Amino acid sequence: AFEVIVALTERIPKLLEKDETKLKLYLEKLYQYSLETDPEISQDWCNPKTESYFDEEFIPEENVSTTLTIVVRLIECLGKKFLLPFISEIVLNLIQNDKDWRYRYSAFMTLGEIVEFIDDISHIENLIPIVFENISNPNAKIRYSAIYCIDLFSESFNPHFQDKYHDKVLPALVNTIKDNVLRIQLQACEALQTFLENSTEQVAGQYAQFLLDNTFQTFLIKECPISLREQILAVLTELINSCGEKFKDFSEKCLKLLLNFFSESFQNQT
């Protein structure tokens, strides 16, 4: 039914454009559907099995994925100026529910999905502190969705987001690399890469020592998964690129740590 309605709307936008009551009802039912996902968080979700996170084709739960896809299609056919206020109201209502993780998770996943349609960060500035707070939420899927938002904010609103929020984002993401859920650790690295890729030399240089100390701390743990090590190396690559000349002071120590690690790893294999 959801597919039929959105397909009709794509052909005849006025069906919903001229009837806000029907539009609100459709969106309400759509988000009710998104909340019907399994309340249990599986170990398969928590611990991706691929040796490389680059190979991980993560798709949100079917209900959530369907909802997000339809929301994007509606924005494209009805226009962002018309539809975003309706979606924003739903997101705000979902965020306020802290009894069931699926509400806030659905809200953050929606927020990340619609970022590309938001022209100015000021339109969602009131939500950014809420996203930051939930990076350390006790529920793993809420943590994941908050980090997912940070990743997309870093890409869509650079360099303003980096310049204004680096003191909040970088310590939070670095701390999350030490999370006890592998998927959270991997996504934190992904968000760090995006944040650093779009950072100025000044911002990156300011946190170089802090990032190196904390990422290597995790990297050198004997039980560190291969996929996480790969992600940390990708973070370090972005840090080096963003720091430019400012990385000179750290290059010798960084090289020494990496060479020692690879030397020890080779010896353990022989």
Side-chain angles (χ1 to χ4, degrees), residues 88-150:
S88 298
E89 184 179 349
I90 291 171
V91 167
L92 285 170
N93 289 334
L94 290 170
I95 283 175
Q96 290 171 16
N97 188 314
D98 60 358
K99 305 299 182 186
D100 185 331
W101 66 264
R102 292 173 292 184
Y103 284 76
R104 201 162 283 184
Y105 174 75
S106 185
F108 288 153
M109 294 302 287
T110 299
L111 183 57
E113 197 70 27
I114 65 173
V115 157
E116 63 174 303
F117 299 105
I118 299 172
D119 297 323
D120 195 318
I121 194 174
S122 63
H123 295 152
I124 60 162
E125 208 111 37
N126 62 316
L127 295 175
I128 291 177
I130 301 173
V131 172
F132 289 159
E133 288 169 13
N134 284 278
I135 293 174
S136 57
N137 190 286
N139 184 279
K141 287 210 173 181
I142 294 180
R143 294 201 300 278
Y144 174 88
S145 59
I147 296 167
Y148 176 73
C149 284
I150 297 296

Side-chain angles (χ1 to χ4, degrees), residues 46-194:
C46 291
N47 299 295
K49 296 294 187 289
T50 54
E51 288 193 353
S52 173
Y53 198 51
F54 297 114
D55 298 332
E56 175 78 2
E57 293 184 18
F58 175 70
I59 299 173
E61 299 76 4
E62 183 181 351
N63 301 42
V64 176
S65 179
T66 298
T67 299
L68 297 178
T69 300
I70 289 176
V71 164
V72 169
R73 288 169 65 185
L74 286 172
I75 292 173
E76 289 174 345
C77 70
L78 296 175
K80 60 185 180 182
K81 188 175 180 180
F82 173 74
L83 196 66
L84 283 180
F86 295 98
I87 303 299
S88 298
E89 184 179 349
I90 291 171
V91 167
L92 285 170
N93 289 334
L94 290 170
I95 283 175
Q96 290 171 16
N97 188 314
D98 60 358
K99 305 299 182 186
D100 185 331
W101 66 264
R102 292 173 292 184
Y103 284 76
R104 201 162 283 184
Y105 174 75
S106 185
F108 288 153
M109 294 302 287
T110 299
L111 183 57
E113 197 70 27
I114 65 173
V115 157
E116 63 174 303
F117 299 105
I118 299 172
D119 297 323
D120 195 318
I121 194 174
S122 63
H123 295 152
I124 60 162
E125 208 111 37
N126 62 316
L127 295 175
I128 291 177
I130 301 173
V131 172
F132 289 159
E133 288 169 13
N134 284 278
I135 293 174
S136 57
N137 190 286
N139 184 279
K141 287 210 173 181
I142 294 180
R143 294 201 300 278
Y144 174 88
S145 59
I147 296 167
Y148 176 73
C149 284
I150 297 296
D151 187 7
L152 293 167
F153 292 168
S154 299
E155 184 175 351
S156 295
F157 300 128
N158 74 83
H160 176 80
F161 183 70
Q162 280 80 350
D163 292 341
K164 186 170 182 179
Y165 294 108
H166 57 81
D167 60 328
K168 300 280 194 308
V169 173
L170 289 172
L173 290 180
V174 167
N175 186 57
T176 310
I177 291 178
K178 302 169 187 175
D179 199 279
N180 59 0
V181 174
L182 178 57
R183 186 177 294 279
I184 304 297
Q185 295 175 288
L186 295 170
Q187 188 60 34
C189 288
E190 191 79 12
L192 266 174
Q193 291 171 54
T194 307

